Amino acid sequence: MEKYRLTDETIDFCDVTLYRIEALRDFGPIKAGDKGGFVQSYHNLSQEGDCWIHGEAKVFGNAKVYENAQVFGRAEVFCYAFVKGNASVFGNAKVFDDAKVYGNASVFGNAFVKGNASVF
């Protein structure tokens, strides 16, 4: 069963249309009906696990958030980056290019993780 859907609420960001997500069922601390952050497509956030994009956070391009990872605040994950495991990206942090954040890692504040960097 799917855990979220794309809503009709959109924003234009970096010449891309992003859609706010909405939970369809309870999982982790998320309740059905909770609104989340923004994605470009269903590719950006897994329907499995407890992963979620919160608030004003944005995930787009070929980036992906999965397993139990969390992205929140005004964070951005884009290009081919991924966030997985129990990792979190928050604040004004940006994770992009082919960067990877995983395990129990946290990236926050005004941090940039880019290129082929791995944080775990």
Side-chain angles (χ1 to χ4, degrees):
M1 178 177 166
E2 291 186 343
K3 72 178 182 184
Y4 73 94
R5 71 177 185 93
L6 305 183
T7 68
D8 292 335
E9 182 183 348
T10 63
I11 60 171
D12 290 322
F13 186 78
C14 295
D15 295 325
V16 176
T17 299
L18 302 181
Y19 300 84
R20 187 172 295 280
I21 57 174
E22 178 181 17
L24 296 174
R25 61 179 170 84
D26 296 352
F27 59 94
I30 306 302
K31 303 298 179 205
D34 284 355
K35 299 281 173 75
F38 292 89
V39 298
Q40 183 175 357
S41 74
Y42 283 105
H43 167 80
N44 300 125
L45 177 65
S46 176
Q47 293 281 1
E48 299 177 8
D50 287 344
C51 55
W52 192 243
I53 301 163
H54 304 263
E56 299 303 310
K58 299 163 187 72
V59 179
F60 57 100
N62 289 307
K64 184 147 186 165
V65 175
Y66 54 107
E67 294 176 354
N68 297 316
Q70 306 292 308
V71 180
F72 50 102
R74 299 186 71 73
E76 298 170 18
V77 180
F78 56 100
C79 293
Y80 290 89
F82 71 73
V83 182
K84 71 174 191 169
N86 294 314
S88 59
V89 177
F90 57 99
N92 292 312
K94 292 178 177 34
V95 178
F96 58 102
D97 291 339
D98 292 311
K100 300 160 188 63
V101 179
Y102 57 99
N104 294 314
S106 292
V107 174
F108 56 93
N110 294 314
F112 278 64
V113 180
K114 65 182 188 171
N116 292 315
S118 293
V119 178
F120 57 96

